[in-house]
């Protein structure tokens, strides 16, 4: 089960609740659940009502979730998240501007809370460029968050380095205009991700760590001048650790909207990444049971992750095995709300 932001963390404090416990327990047959993106610090938050993993209360909330998943026979990794520039002053400590590799305008919106307490989509302000001290502090935040995830009973963590968020912002040349050790050449732009992988692996063991990338992704203004070289280099460097897996997102979706402009080089990208990366490869992005099985049989991937189909089908693996029909998700309930559209989808008799 791929990460799915649902914006239902308990308030105050962005703490997982009994509702979240039930949601993940229902989907434990996934075998491996990768949690919704979970901010590593208050600075890392960019959307309303998303959970964190930096407070004692959040650790306890996630422990209840992991216990339920384990009792139902599943396994679970927590996805570690820093949104970088995709945020809003209302989430930032002291009302500061969001942080990014460079102070560039952001072509997108984020999910904020209006004056009436309702979730609405609001403009993202131009961020402030991170200092070297700020970068070092974020690496430590990742380290602490990984330790907290293990204390919360998780089987491992996934470092979110895609979808236009902080680590992806450093990787892509469109969003990184720095001229120091974290910008310029592709090797410098990959530095922050590799430092985070090293810190997290040292803290909890590399076998408990996965990395998610979105090569050629366009969400939130992403883009790179030489994506084949950039992401091939990253894949080769990640072989230096014996990580649990590398998780790639195919460009079937941009955010939660189907992408109608697929880069013709994408298939070449996947095949080159498959060759460069020597470990377990997970692919996600618009698969169904048939196309997922074909991808496994061809050797394109070792594991297929399903995202939106799991929203409306808690028993998705059984439905795929039986070639049963799928429930259709309600997009109006994707972000924020209560049990409706979250834990009330029907399962097979």
């Amino acid at each position: 089960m791929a990460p799915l932001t649902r914006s239902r963390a308990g308030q105050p404090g962005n703490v997982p609740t009994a509702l979240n416990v039930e949601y993940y327990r229902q989907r434990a047959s996934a075998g491996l659940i990768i949690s919704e993106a979970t901010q590593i610090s208050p600075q890392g938050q960019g959307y309303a009502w998303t959970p964190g993993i930096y407070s004692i209360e959040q650790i306890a909330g996630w422990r209840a979730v992991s216990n339920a998943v384990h009792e139902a026979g599943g396994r679970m990794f927590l996805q570690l998240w820093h949104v970088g520039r995709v945020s809003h002053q209302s989430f930032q400590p002291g009302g500061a501007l969001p942080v990014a590799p460079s102070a560039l305008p952001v072509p997108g919106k984020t999910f904020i809370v209006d004056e009436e307490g309702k979730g609405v989509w609001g403009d993202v302000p131009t961020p402030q460029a991170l200092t070297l001290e700020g970068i070092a502090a974020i690496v430590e935040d990742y380290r602490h968050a990984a330790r907290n995830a293990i204390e919360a009973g998780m089987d491992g963590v996934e470092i979110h380095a895609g979808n236009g968020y902080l680590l992806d912002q450093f990787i892509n040349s469109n969003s990184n205009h720095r001229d120091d050790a974290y910008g310029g050449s592709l090797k410098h732009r990959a530095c922050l991700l590799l430092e985070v992988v090293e810190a997290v692996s040292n803290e909890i063991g590399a076998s408990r760590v996965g990395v998610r990338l979105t090569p050629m992704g366009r969400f939130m203004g992403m883009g790179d001048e030489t994506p084949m070289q950039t992401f091939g280099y990253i894949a080769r460097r990640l072989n230096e650790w014996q990580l649990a897996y590398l998780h790639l997102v195919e460009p079937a979706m941009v955010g939660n909207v189907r992408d109608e402009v697929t880069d013709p080089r994408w298939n070449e990208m996947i095949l080159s990444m498959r060759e460069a990366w020597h470990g377990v490869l997970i692919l996600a992005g618009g698969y169904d049971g048939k196309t997922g099985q074909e991808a496994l049989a061809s050797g394109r991937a070792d594991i297929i992750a399903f995202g939106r189909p799991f929203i409306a089908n808690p028993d998705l693996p059984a439905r795929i095995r039986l070639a049963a029909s799928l429930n259709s998700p309600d997009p109006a309930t994707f972000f924020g709300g209560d049990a409706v559209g979250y834990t009330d989808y029907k399962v097979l008799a």
Side-chain angles (χ1 to χ4, degrees):
M1 176 173 160
L4 292 158
T5 294
R6 305 302 307 278
S7 293
R8 282 171 169 83
Q11 302 302 314
N14 293 318
V15 176
T17 67
L19 183 64
N20 308 126
V21 171
E22 176 61 13
Y23 171 77
Y24 283 110
R25 184 200 64 76
Q26 290 177 353
R27 290 156 178 80
S29 67
L32 174 63
I33 293 174
I34 304 168
S35 82
E36 63 204 274
T38 302
Q39 55 257 16
I40 61 172
S41 68
Q43 183 195 67
Q45 183 178 0
Y47 297 81
W49 312 314
T50 54
I53 188 61
Y54 51 85
S55 73
I56 294 173
E57 294 78 13
Q58 291 164 349
I59 294 170
W62 278 120
R63 187 180 297 114
V65 171
S66 67
N67 286 344
V69 169
H70 289 150
E71 288 170 4
R75 294 291 180 268
M76 189 168 184
F77 274 36
L78 190 81
Q79 192 187 58
L80 303 182
W81 192 29
H82 191 304
V83 300
R85 67 187 195 174
V86 187
S87 187
H88 190 269
Q89 297 98 317
S90 61
F91 299 124
Q92 295 297 305
L97 286 171
V99 297
S102 304
L104 301 171
V106 184
K109 294 180 180 292
T110 192
F111 192 57
I112 63 175
V113 182
D114 66 13
E115 294 179 355
E116 298 178 357
K118 297 179 180 178
V120 296
W121 292 96
D123 292 331
V124 175
T126 299
Q128 57 178 315
L130 275 162
T131 63
L132 293 178
E133 293 77 13
I135 292 172
I138 286 172
V139 173
E140 288 304 302
D141 286 339
Y142 274 101
R143 184 197 305 275
H144 295 151
R147 171 52 54 193
N148 289 346
I150 298 304
E151 290 184 10
M154 295 292 165
D155 298 291
V157 301
E158 178 176 279
I159 297 169
H160 193 357
N163 294 104
Y165 300 116
L166 183 68
L167 299 180
D168 202 26
Q169 292 160 24
F170 271 86
I171 291 169
N172 282 271
S173 59
N174 277 14
S175 49
N176 185 344
H177 293 183
R178 301 177 73 94
D179 58 5
D180 59 10
Y182 293 94
S185 70
L186 68 87
K187 293 182 179 180
H188 286 176
R189 287 183 276 113
C191 271
L192 180 55
L193 168 59
L194 299 178
E195 287 182 9
V196 168
V197 170
E198 176 74 6
V200 170
S201 296
N202 287 344
E203 188 67 25
I204 66 172
S207 65
R208 290 180 166 186
V209 180
V211 172
R212 191 183 220 212
L213 298 171
T214 52
M216 296 182 179
R218 298 187 295 110
F219 188 52
M220 291 292 179
M222 290 299 98
D224 190 75
E225 293 178 357
T226 59
M228 301 293 290
Q229 293 89 333
T230 296
F231 287 93
Y233 169 78
I234 290 172
R236 290 190 294 274
R237 288 295 309 274
L238 291 176
N239 288 320
E240 296 172 16
W241 298 270
Q242 292 185 329
L243 299 176
Y245 60 78
L246 177 61
H247 184 181
L248 303 181
V249 182
E250 300 205 41
M253 308 294 292
V254 179
N256 65 345
V257 179
R258 181 162 292 280
D259 190 0
E260 302 298 341
V261 187
T262 302
D263 193 306
R265 298 170 295 173
W266 174 251
N267 191 58
E268 182 185 356
M269 169 68 82
I270 281 290
L271 295 178
S272 66
M273 294 286 281
R274 183 64 157 152
E275 182 177 358
W277 166 247
H278 300 159
V280 172
L281 182 66
I282 300 176
L283 288 183
Y287 283 98
D288 58 23
K290 182 178 183 294
T291 57
Q293 188 60 51
E294 290 171 350
L296 296 178
S298 70
R300 188 177 179 86
D302 300 301
I303 298 171
I304 299 299
F306 295 89
R308 292 200 301 173
F310 260 117
I311 290 178
N313 300 277
D315 56 349
L316 182 65
R319 290 175 183 267
I320 290 175
R321 282 195 298 272
L322 298 170
S325 62
L326 301 184
N327 300 323
S328 297
D330 176 12
T333 62
F334 280 1
F335 303 103
D338 51 22
V340 176
Y342 190 61
T343 57
D344 64 344
Y345 285 105
K346 301 297 183 182
V347 299
L348 294 173

